[in-house]
Amino acid sequence: MDDVQVERILQNPKFKKMVSKKATLSWTLTIIMLIVYVGFMLLVGYNKEFLMSSFSGGVTTWGIPLGLGIIVLSFVLCGVYSYIANNTLDQLNEEALREVENITHEKGLH
């Protein structure tokens, strides 16, 4: 593949749309996870009393459900990414690949 073909692929609107959507989705989910995780760490560092206080009037503290919530959130965000990737990004990826193949075949490359 020569530089002209590479440039045509990089400038292809479907390829650009796919890259943009993947980046937006990845950064959005990453920022959500970072905010939650850093918020929890700040809570651990600056408000231990709250985390040690009873959640239900018994022995369960607020730290337990919040910590488990962070773990569950990570699985939920993975599920969200998988769902969007399988239903939206895969279709864009296939369209972009077809156009890339057309660009490479124009010069007789395979």
Side-chain angles (χ1 to χ4, degrees):
M1 199 176 313
D2 61 14
D3 291 339
V4 173
Q5 287 176 321
V6 171
E7 189 58 35
R8 284 186 61 201
I9 291 168
L10 293 175
Q11 297 306 318
N12 182 289
K14 288 184 181 173
F15 181 78
K16 282 182 165 184
K17 184 177 180 181
M18 178 197 61
V19 170
S20 173
K21 283 192 178 258
K22 275 187 177 184
T24 301
L25 177 63
S26 297
W27 279 111
T28 301
L29 297 177
T30 300
I31 289 169
I32 290 169
M33 195 65 217
L34 280 173
I35 288 170
V36 170
Y37 184 74
V38 169
F40 184 72
M41 290 296 108
L42 290 171
L43 204 56
V44 168
Y46 293 107
N47 199 354
K48 289 181 188 175
E49 295 76 28
F50 169 73
L51 291 175
M52 293 188 303
S53 65
S54 178
F55 170 68
S56 60
V59 293
T60 305
T61 64
W62 277 102
I64 301 297
L66 289 176
L68 289 173
I70 290 172
I71 294 168
V72 170
L73 178 65
S74 67
F75 283 101
V76 168
L77 292 179
C78 286
V80 167
Y81 182 85
S82 296
Y83 179 80
I84 293 172
N86 290 336
N87 293 317
T88 304
L89 298 179
D90 281 353
Q91 182 182 10
L92 284 172
N93 191 34
E94 288 174 16
E95 291 172 6
L97 280 174
R98 269 189 247 116
E99 297 219 1
V100 166
E101 286 176 359
N102 291 338
I103 290 169
T104 57
H105 287 314
E106 285 177 11
K107 290 225 178 177
L109 296 175
H110 190 281

